[in-house]
Amino acid sequence: MLKVSEKGSYALLELPYDGKAMPGQFFTIKTKTGPYIPRPFSVYDLKGGNLKFLIKTGGEIQQFLDEDIIIDGPFGNPISKIDDVLLLAGGVGYAPIHFYALVYGFKEMIIGMPDDELFDFVDIPDHCVCVVNPTTPVDLAKLSPLKNILVCGPHEMIMGLKRDLPESTLYAIMEEKMACARGMCEGCAVMTKDGVKFVCKDGPTFKVSEVDLEWTYR
């Protein structure tokens, strides 16, 4: 089942699935006709035998969403529960944060969106704070007493947290381009204190203090 937001900028794809997945894990999506490279998506929700993905429309995957979807996974390492955690999400980075909150709960959550369209489309817990550009989740995170932070969102948002909250323990669900989701294509490389690792098989969650956010794999 495919549900599209009012302006068509976002979609929720719901598929039957009788397996298991944990927060932090993701699946790849394709059909018999395309896209040629399967696209990775974090779990937005999983319950009652139904698996949901939050998708920003406009990309190549959109033209295939009305076909029979083939999923593969779950991939990636699950996130363990983090004590007294502040959850931060930016845009469709809300998907894995939403799933984490459903499974583990949270102390505080701050969600940043480019506009109200996504806010009106997704399920948002009552006791969280939502902001729209130009205010960002980083602006409000600086006011929180919580020191354990789990974030998923734009790269610039993660860099801003590392810069502005040096005393906090930051965990980031990384978003990188990938093809195989098994670490063989080396498309989702990140540099860590222990050398090059891959988001698909070593992550997707990393301790931000251990990742060089300015490194580019060539």
Side-chain angles (χ1 to χ4, degrees), residues 8-218:
S9 302
Y10 306 96
L12 279 173
L13 178 64
E14 182 175 339
L15 302 170
Y17 177 71
D18 58 4
K20 296 181 180 180
M22 292 298 293
Q25 294 186 299
F26 66 94
F27 290 75
T28 60
I29 293 176
K30 67 175 183 178
T31 72
K32 291 182 179 180
T33 60
Y36 177 73
I37 299 176
R39 296 296 190 263
F41 291 97
S42 296
V43 178
Y44 170 79
D45 197 355
L46 173 59
K47 60 176 178 284
N50 292 307
L51 179 63
K52 289 184 180 180
F53 302 102
L54 176 61
I55 299 171
K56 185 176 182 179
T57 59
E60 183 187 8
I61 188 68
Q62 182 178 352
Q63 62 185 298
F64 301 102
L65 292 179
D66 291 327
E67 301 182 23
D68 291 334
I69 302 293
I70 302 169
I71 63 172
D72 193 10
F75 298 109
N77 299 295
I79 305 170
S80 299
K81 184 177 181 180
I82 304 170
D83 293 334
D84 296 329
V85 67
L86 167 61
L87 301 180
L88 292 185
V92 291
Y94 177 60
I97 296 298
H98 176 262
F99 188 42
Y100 178 98
L102 289 178
V103 175
Y104 294 132
F106 61 95
K107 276 282 187 175
E108 296 179 8
M109 183 191 298
I110 304 171
I111 308 167
M113 304 291 182
D115 51 51
D116 291 333
E117 182 182 2
L118 190 51
F119 281 134
D120 296 335
F121 186 58
V122 296
D123 298 322
I124 296 177
D126 292 335
H127 53 299
C128 73
V129 178
C130 302
V131 297
V132 177
N133 287 342
T135 303
T136 72
V138 178
D139 296 329
L140 297 189
K142 290 186 286 187
L143 305 177
S144 174
L146 300 180
K147 298 302 181 183
N148 292 326
I149 300 175
L150 175 64
V151 56
C152 186
H155 191 75
E156 294 77 11
M157 176 179 167
I158 300 172
M159 292 185 68
L161 287 168
K162 185 176 183 179
R163 179 190 65 244
D164 295 344
L165 297 171
E167 302 302 319
S168 295
T169 302
L170 306 176
Y171 303 87
I173 304 173
M174 305 291 288
E175 298 175 322
E176 294 289 341
K177 293 181 180 179
M178 60 182 72
C180 68
R182 292 172 170 84
M184 296 183 292
C185 72
E186 301 186 356
C188 59
V190 293
M191 178 61 76
T192 74
K193 290 182 177 179
D194 296 320
V196 175
K197 292 191 177 183
F198 301 98
V199 171
C200 63
K201 73 181 185 71
D202 299 311
T205 305
F206 293 88
K207 208 169 184 178
V208 174
S209 61
E210 298 177 356
V211 177
D212 183 353
L213 296 176
E214 297 182 356
W215 181 81
T216 301
Y217 182 59
R218 301 185 190 281

